[in-house]
Amino acid sequence: MEHDFAITLDVGTSLANHTGTWRTFRPDYVHRLPPCNAACPAGEDIQGWLSFAEAGEYEAAWRALTKNNPLPAVMGRVCYHPCETACNRSQIDAAVGVNAVERFLGDMAIAKGWAFAPPTQKSGKKVLVVGAGPAGLSAAYHLAMLGHEVTLREAGPAPGGMMRFGIPKYRLPRDVLDAEVARIADLGVRIEYNSKVSDLQATIKEGGFDAAFLAVGAHIAKRAYIPAGEATKILDAVQVLASMEGAEKPLLGRRVVVYGGGNTALDVARTAKRLGAEEAIIVYRRTREKMPAHDFELEEALEEGVMMKWLSTIKHVDAGAITVEKMKLDEAGFPQPTGEFETLEADSVVLALGQDVDLSLLDGVPGLEFSDGLVKVGPDMMTGAKGIFAGGDMAPSERTVTVAVGHGKKAARHIDAFLRGETYAPPPKHELASFENLNPWYYGEAPQTLRPTLEIARRSSTFEEVVKGLDESNALYEARRCLSCGNCFECDNCYGVCPDNAVIKLGAGKGFKFNYDFCKGCGVCEAECPCGAIAMAPEEI
Amino acid sequence: MDDSTLTQQQKLKYYQKGTFTVGNRLVADEERSVQASAERSNALTSGHRACQGCGEALGARYAIDAAMRATGNDLIAVNATGCLEVFTTPYPETSWQLPWLHSLFGNAAAVATGVAAAMRVKGKKTRVVAQGGDGGTTDIGFQCLSGMFERNDDVLYICYDNEGYMNTGVQRSSATPPAARTATTPALGPEPGNVFGTGKFVPKIAVAHGIPYVATATVADLRDLEAKVIKAMGITGARYIQINVPCPLGWGAPSYDTIKLARLAVECGLYPIFEAEHGRITQSRKIRRQVPVRDYLILQKRYAHLFRNGVDDPRVQRLQAICDAHIEEYGLLGDDAEA
């Protein structure tokens, strides 16, 4: 082609001009760890399963959820949802109701009869799990999914551990628990009830087990010395809540005093009201702010007419009455006696002062270490004895169902590696997706959906479930409130806002990639990414 | 204000996330923006020489891609001299992927009128867009523009308003806001920066011509911008859209803040977003999260002299008064701020 004076190039498109050479900062697509996932004691990928739920793909959501936690319907009722406490959305309006959506998915799975897909390959290894509480069930599930042959031995007559013998029915209906346990058993886990392991070493030897996971829980009520007269009725919370599962309901009388400040104390007081007590009074030595029980449970209890006696200790129990001493908090926040006494009428006193572990099955196992009545475990959940792992309430940690489920999963992964003669190394965690990583402009205002609750009148007479579930329309709405912190949700913003047309859209589900031939590194994509899934880094020059 | 003129594009409320984003994986393709489409025409394609984070390059692609979709790609663009012309078409290269014509700085409206007349004479349905910066529109090309309006020629004129002559070294234009520092209004003397004049807001002048359609938009609200361009292409006669396009170089702002600045210009009330038909304002875009003008100014070095020594210059309040007057005049606060 002939060129005009001073022109050396052919007429053509600017695509020949690779402006990417201007770049000093480079955008990259990243994954950051959503705060919900970081906070979940069971290690759920909450943002991940919510992204399926948002699209109405409930079965895919449930399958993604149960990769980490086999008990979503239980979890959606009893978990104290630290995910919601951590949720970045709380800085926009209110946290995403993760727990409510989890329950919706769990209930839908039960209604539709979704089953776990069993592993295609068997390892040929045998693992003993002791205790069918949340930790044991979780470990059994994960071990079975990894191809191991699992025998689950339970001392009690039915599965669930404290989920059955500690958590009242009005919080966790038993048909829900039974359905989720049955699904684990369907994987081929053999569950033996009324089959207490009293000599661990002998059991392992007889059964030919290659490893064991212990999760016997903490079922022995702590006692406190309280001077008591004759004909007084002093019970403990574990005994009261466990007997609720039998035919003979506990006889508590018209006026019940519960001693303690944890969730168990509230459970007992609320149970007493439902059994017909006119008064249920919780005596606690410190204040509401210092109470270990969760505030929403206290609120529900107060709504039901449970009364609180703050800053009080029980000094003496007589027939029909107790003497309490008023306390005051010292500067360090500890309760100190005041010398002022008061008498309360009481037909029975229930102690809810915490629980200890029955460690007798471990007698004679070499290498074990104990501290404060608990079994010491390493970061791999293995005790001092090779091949014997432990978790749940019998290992040192917070005592919640979700923590126990997390222990079960973690132990299963380490047991699996142990059985192959390897060491399990968890994959490195992504950097946390903080609120500062987000661009909240792009999120529409949408308040949280509150779950309906049972009317107060019915709550004092029946054991019907107090908190109800969501229906599909509001579960979908709630799932779509998720901000997708740190993970691309294909909003097309980067593709749209690039002044250089340097983002390539790869198609549904495939995300995007940068065209570094033309990207000038302006950083508009990173600034306008709603969810913090792009990071800018200096180019090496 | 009449809500019935809100088009579906503007009204569409996505789900709880993504209402304001370019696209959304959860909605059908036809409900997504033009820019969300992998098949968008990219009328202004890669390799152009605009600065990093150029608001004008972005605004031009947004607007022309929407016009291309609205006309089935049967479109000719006429360009005034200015950044947009220089950075897209340094001979023999061009970034334009549609027929495109450049003549002089001040005659884009007149050339476009001629192109439209030629198409009519040849019996073609090809539509015409004229485009230029604020210098080529509100100063140099103003006479031709007013003539095009007054004759009601069938042209959509799009002004990309970056509030100055940025290409030639950031000189003041009649669209430069009060107090802003430019090369010709330095931050020196007792009244540093641009004067507080009487103002020259060309969208209102366009409305005064009684032409069929006038609108303002920004690169911070893509769906609103696209809706207005598509609507304009459905109308015959003279139409005018002015798009606020932040200039990182001329405004003294980081390249990544381009869209944020356009957003803040709207949210503080300094840049009113509205539509007018046949001489009457028909609707305005409500402020969603109101901010004081200070939040907008302080991010830009052209206003740095207003915030020296940790003390706000009293002229920040004068700019706030302009925002307040806009909010009052255009009814920028109200219920459908969520729409």
Side-chain angles (χ1 to χ4, degrees), chain B residues 99-112:
Chain B
W100 180 91
L101 187 63
H102 167 243
S103 172
L104 299 174
F105 210 148
N107 67 355
V111 172

Side-chain angles (χ1 to χ4, degrees), chain A residues 164-166 168 236-245 264 267-268 271:
Chain A
R164 180 179 303 272
F165 299 103
D236 70 67
V238 179
Q239 182 190 336
V240 169
L241 292 173
S243 62
M244 290 301 298
E245 286 302 303
T264 307
D267 286 343
V268 172
T271 297

Side-chain angles (χ1 to χ4, degrees), chain A residues 251-276:
Chain A
L251 296 170
L252 299 172
R254 288 192 301 122
R255 286 159 306 197
V256 181
V257 167
V258 183
Y259 196 25
N263 290 314
T264 307
L266 293 173
D267 286 343
V268 172
R270 295 173 72 183
T271 297
K273 285 294 276 188
R274 285 168 170 77
L275 286 173

Side-chain angles (χ1 to χ4, degrees), chain B residues 201-315:
Chain B
F201 191 45
V202 170
K204 271 180 91 176
I205 301 174
V207 173
H209 283 75
I211 57 174
Y213 187 71
V214 176
T216 56
T218 77
V219 288
D221 193 345
L222 168 70
R223 302 192 66 85
D224 177 72
L225 188 161
E226 288 187 350
K228 285 169 174 169
V229 171
I230 290 166
K231 183 172 177 178
M233 294 318 292
I235 296 170
T236 308
R239 291 143 285 147
Y240 180 75
I241 296 178
Q242 182 165 310
I243 303 173
N244 177 279
V245 291
C247 171
L249 174 79
W251 297 12
S255 58
Y256 49 78
D257 269 348
T258 296
I259 290 178
K260 181 181 183 180
L261 285 172
R263 184 183 301 135
L264 291 173
V266 174
E267 295 299 297
C268 72
L270 195 61
Y271 213 87
I273 303 300
F274 65 91
E275 277 183 300
E277 290 174 53
H278 302 287
R280 298 176 71 90
I281 291 177
T282 51
Q283 70 160 316
S284 59
R285 181 199 172 281
K286 307 297 183 198
I287 288 172
R288 180 168 169 233
R289 291 179 189 162
Q290 195 179 5
V291 292
V293 72
R294 189 181 193 280
D295 291 11
Y296 167 67
L297 303 174
I298 203 160
L299 298 174
Q300 307 171 51
K301 287 204 188 85
R302 63 175 171 160
Y303 296 113
H305 56 91
L306 298 178
F307 304 101
R308 275 194 191 131
N309 307 320
V311 183
D312 284 11
D313 187 290
R315 287 175 304 158

Side-chain angles (χ1 to χ4, degrees), chain A residues 441 480 491 496 498 505 520 528, chain B residues 15 23 36 50 61 263 288:
Chain A
W441 171 263
R480 287 176 175 179
C491 73
C498 176
K505 183 169 172 164
K520 293 171 185 163
E528 300 305 322
Chain B
Y15 300 105
R61 197 188 72 227
R263 184 183 301 135
R288 180 168 169 233

Side-chain angles (χ1 to χ4, degrees), chain B:
Chain B
M1 300 288 161
D2 181 8
D3 248 16
S4 63
T5 54
L6 266 176
T7 66
Q8 193 54 38
Q9 279 278 306
Q10 285 164 301
K11 232 178 191 170
L12 179 70
K13 173 136 178 155
Y14 279 142
Y15 300 105
Q16 284 67 41
K17 70 181 179 194
T19 302
F20 303 93
T21 51
V22 169
N24 187 317
R25 70 185 176 104
L26 300 176
V27 299
D29 282 348
E30 59 273 16
E31 289 180 340
R32 301 183 197 180
S33 67
V34 176
Q35 287 302 311
S37 165
E39 279 80 47
R40 70 187 187 202
S41 51
N42 282 318
L44 200 179
T45 195
S46 311
H48 63 72
R49 291 150 196 260
C51 304
Q52 292 160 323
C54 176
E56 189 171 31
L58 187 58
R61 197 188 72 227
Y62 282 180
I64 303 301
D65 280 1
M68 290 284 272
R69 178 178 285 188
T71 58
N73 300 337
D74 193 6
L75 188 70
I76 292 179
V78 175
N79 220 119
T81 304
C83 276
L84 184 64
E85 172 257 323
V86 170
F87 75 65
T88 58
T89 316
Y91 186 83
E93 252 172 36
T94 185
S95 308
W96 294 104
Q97 308 205 83
L98 81 168
W100 180 91
L101 187 63
H102 167 243
S103 172
L104 299 174
F105 210 148
N107 67 355
V111 172
T113 295
V115 173
M119 290 303 127
R120 194 172 63 245
V121 166
K122 295 184 82 174
K124 291 197 171 183
K125 299 221 181 305
T126 308
R127 304 297 300 279
V128 184
V129 169
Q131 51 183 355
D134 51 291
T137 304
T138 73
D139 297 344
I140 302 174
F142 187 66
Q143 179 269 126
C144 292
L145 181 71
S146 179
M148 183 202 104
F149 287 165
E150 173 265 325
R151 295 185 303 271
N152 200 23
D153 292 323
D154 188 23
V155 175
L156 167 63
Y157 192 104
I158 301 172
C159 171
Y160 304 104
D161 178 12
N162 59 15
E163 306 183 341
Y165 290 87
M166 303 318 190
N167 170 47
T168 49
V170 194
Q171 291 85 11
R172 174 196 184 277
S173 82
S174 58
T176 302
R181 180 208 65 192
T182 67
T184 44
T185 56
L188 297 170
E191 294 270 311
N194 194 22
V195 293
F196 277 76
T198 56
K200 181 177 181 183
F201 191 45
V202 170
K204 271 180 91 176
I205 301 174
V207 173
H209 283 75
I211 57 174
Y213 187 71
V214 176
T216 56
T218 77
V219 288
D221 193 345
L222 168 70
R223 302 192 66 85
D224 177 72
L225 188 161
E226 288 187 350
K228 285 169 174 169
V229 171
I230 290 166
K231 183 172 177 178
M233 294 318 292
I235 296 170
T236 308
R239 291 143 285 147
Y240 180 75
I241 296 178
Q242 182 165 310
I243 303 173
N244 177 279
V245 291
C247 171
L249 174 79
W251 297 12
S255 58
Y256 49 78
D257 269 348
T258 296
I259 290 178
K260 181 181 183 180
L261 285 172
R263 184 183 301 135
L264 291 173
V266 174
E267 295 299 297
C268 72
L270 195 61
Y271 213 87
I273 303 300
F274 65 91
E275 277 183 300
E277 290 174 53
H278 302 287
R280 298 176 71 90
I281 291 177
T282 51
Q283 70 160 316
S284 59
R285 181 199 172 281
K286 307 297 183 198
I287 288 172
R288 180 168 169 233
R289 291 179 189 162
Q290 195 179 5
V291 292
V293 72
R294 189 181 193 280
D295 291 11
Y296 167 67
L297 303 174
I298 203 160
L299 298 174
Q300 307 171 51
K301 287 204 188 85
R302 63 175 171 160
Y303 296 113
H305 56 91
L306 298 178
F307 304 101
R308 275 194 191 131
N309 307 320
V311 183
D312 284 11
D313 187 290
R315 287 175 304 158
V316 173
Q317 280 315 306
R318 287 185 70 185
L319 284 158
Q320 183 63 51
I322 293 173
C323 298
D324 296 343
H326 284 162
I327 288 168
E328 171 81 22
E329 179 180 356
Y330 297 96
L332 300 179
L333 296 177
D335 283 343
D336 60 316
E338 264 303 285

Side-chain angles (χ1 to χ4, degrees), chain A residues 117-122 143-148 187:
Chain A
T120 48
Q121 283 195 317
K122 299 283 178 197
L143 288 164
M145 292 295 271
L146 289 163
H148 307 300
L187 271 176

Side-chain angles (χ1 to χ4, degrees), chain A residues 482-530:
Chain A
C482 173
L483 307 181
S484 195
C485 303
N487 293 282
C488 177
F489 63 97
E490 292 180 61
C491 73
D492 294 325
N493 253 24
C494 52
Y495 177 63
V497 302
C498 176
D500 293 287
N501 189 28
V503 174
I504 298 165
K505 183 169 172 164
L506 300 172
K510 302 194 190 97
F512 307 87
K513 70 174 186 181
F514 290 106
N515 184 346
Y516 293 111
D517 283 350
F518 297 109
C519 167
K520 293 171 185 163
C522 66
V524 171
C525 55
E526 193 256 1
E528 300 305 322
C529 175

